[in-house]
Amino acid sequence: ILNVEQSPQSLHVQEGDSTNFTCSFPSSNFYALHWYRWETAKSPEALFVMTLNGDEKKKGRISATLNTKEGYSYLYIKGSQPEDSATYLCAFNYGQNFVFGPGTRLSVLP
Amino acid sequence: DAGVTQSPTHLIKTRGQQVTLRCSPKSGHDTVSWYQQALGQGPQFIFQYYEEEERQRGNFPDRFSGHQFPNYSSELNVNALLLGDSALYLCASRWEDSYGYTFGSGTRLTVV
C-alpha cells in the first residue's frame, strides 16, 4: 500500500509570515508529484505538477521543490496572506493514478 | 468553459438505501476518477473510468460501482448505504495524455 504523508497536519501563522510544509512519498515508481490548494466549499485547484528530481516551481509567493531520490517535496509560502488559508494537498502520481496525502490545513491570521 | 460539474451538491440518505452521484468532466477530458474524502483525511481513490470501462479500482467494496457514458460523463453508485459512507465524493477528470486532474467541488453525502 502506497503511503503519502504530509506535515504538519495544521498550521496557524500570522499575516506576513513565511511558512513551509512537507510531503513525503515513496521514492520508487515515481511518475509525478502534484500540489493542490483546496479552499473550503471549492474544488481543489492545481498548483504545481513536478516530474524531475530537483524541480523547482514558483507561482507568485508560492514555490515548491522536489527530491525524488529521498521522496519528499516542500511547499513554501512567502509573506502569507489571509487568502492563502486553505488545505494544501500533495498527490503522488504513479502509473494511471494518484495517492493523496491527508493535507496540511493552513490558517493565516490577520 | 465549465470545469468539472458534480450533482447533487448535497444529499441525505438513509442507511440501506442506494445513491447515484453524477459527474460531467471538463470539456476535452476523457478520463474520470472518483474519490471519497472522509472527515480529516485525504481523498481516497475509488475507481477510474476511461473509454467507458473501469480501468483501475481502489480498495472499496463492490457496493461501489460506476459507469462512464459515451459523452465521458460518469456516475458513481453506492448500494446498501452504511453510516460510514458519509463523506465528500469528488470527481476529477483529465485528458488521458496529460498529467493533472481537474476536480469538481464534490457531493456531500450524509447517511443517517
Side-chain angles (χ1 to χ4, degrees):
Chain A
I1 297 177
L2 296 174
N3 197 34
V4 176
E5 297 176 352
Q6 289 188 247
S7 61
Q9 184 178 15
S10 65
L11 194 54
H12 293 80
V13 301
Q14 289 294 134
E15 182 175 355
D17 286 351
S18 293
T19 186
N20 67 85
F21 17 95
T22 307
C23 172
S24 302
F25 52 87
S27 54
S28 59
N29 298 317
F30 180 84
Y31 187 65
L33 192 284
H34 302 251
W35 282 100
Y36 286 87
R37 179 171 175 273
W38 195 0
E39 292 180 74
T40 304
K42 294 185 179 179
S43 311
E45 170 200 356
L47 286 174
F48 305 115
V49 180
M50 309 178 78
T51 57
L52 297 174
N53 185 42
D55 252 358
E56 291 188 27
K57 301 270 185 175
K58 187 172 165 56
K59 182 187 283 191
R61 295 179 291 98
I62 305 177
S63 60
T65 60
L66 178 69
N67 183 323
T68 60
K69 292 183 179 177
E70 296 181 38
Y72 65 83
S73 175
Y74 293 138
L75 188 78
Y76 301 90
I77 302 178
K78 184 178 176 183
S80 302
Q81 299 297 308
E83 57 265 31
D84 296 328
S85 297
T87 295
Y88 291 83
L89 287 171
C90 70
F92 171 69
N93 188 182
Y94 69 101
Q96 297 295 336
N97 229 310
F98 293 7
V99 176
F100 280 89
T104 292
R105 285 184 195 77
L106 174 66
S107 297
V108 182
L109 307 173
Chain B
D1 171 37
V4 178
T5 304
Q6 290 187 244
S7 63
T9 54
H10 295 83
L11 199 53
I12 299 175
K13 288 285 190 178
T14 303
R15 190 171 47 183
Q17 284 188 312
Q18 179 264 343
V19 68
T20 297
L21 311 182
R22 294 179 175 82
C23 172
S24 294
K26 184 174 179 177
S27 178
H29 287 188
D30 56 8
T31 302
V32 173
S33 291
W34 286 91
Y35 293 84
Q36 180 196 65
Q37 190 189 28
L39 202 61
Q41 298 181 19
Q44 301 292 314
F45 172 64
I46 303 175
F47 40 53
Q48 182 187 83
Y49 278 85
Y50 174 66
E51 292 189 340
E52 302 178 51
E53 290 194 1
E54 182 183 294
R55 181 161 62 179
Q56 196 170 359
R57 188 178 183 91
N59 189 26
F60 278 80
D62 292 344
R63 299 186 296 108
F64 288 76
S65 63
H67 190 76
Q68 186 179 35
F69 298 94
N71 66 354
Y72 306 122
S73 67
S74 178
E75 289 181 349
L76 163 66
N77 301 293
V78 187
N79 294 323
L81 283 166
L82 303 174
L83 297 179
D85 295 331
S86 296
L88 179 70
Y89 289 85
L90 289 167
C91 169
S93 73
R94 67 171 179 153
W95 178 55
E96 169 65 2
D97 290 338
S98 68
Y99 279 115
Y101 277 100
T102 300
F103 282 86
S105 53
T107 294
R108 173 72 63 187
L109 172 65
T110 302
V111 182
V112 297

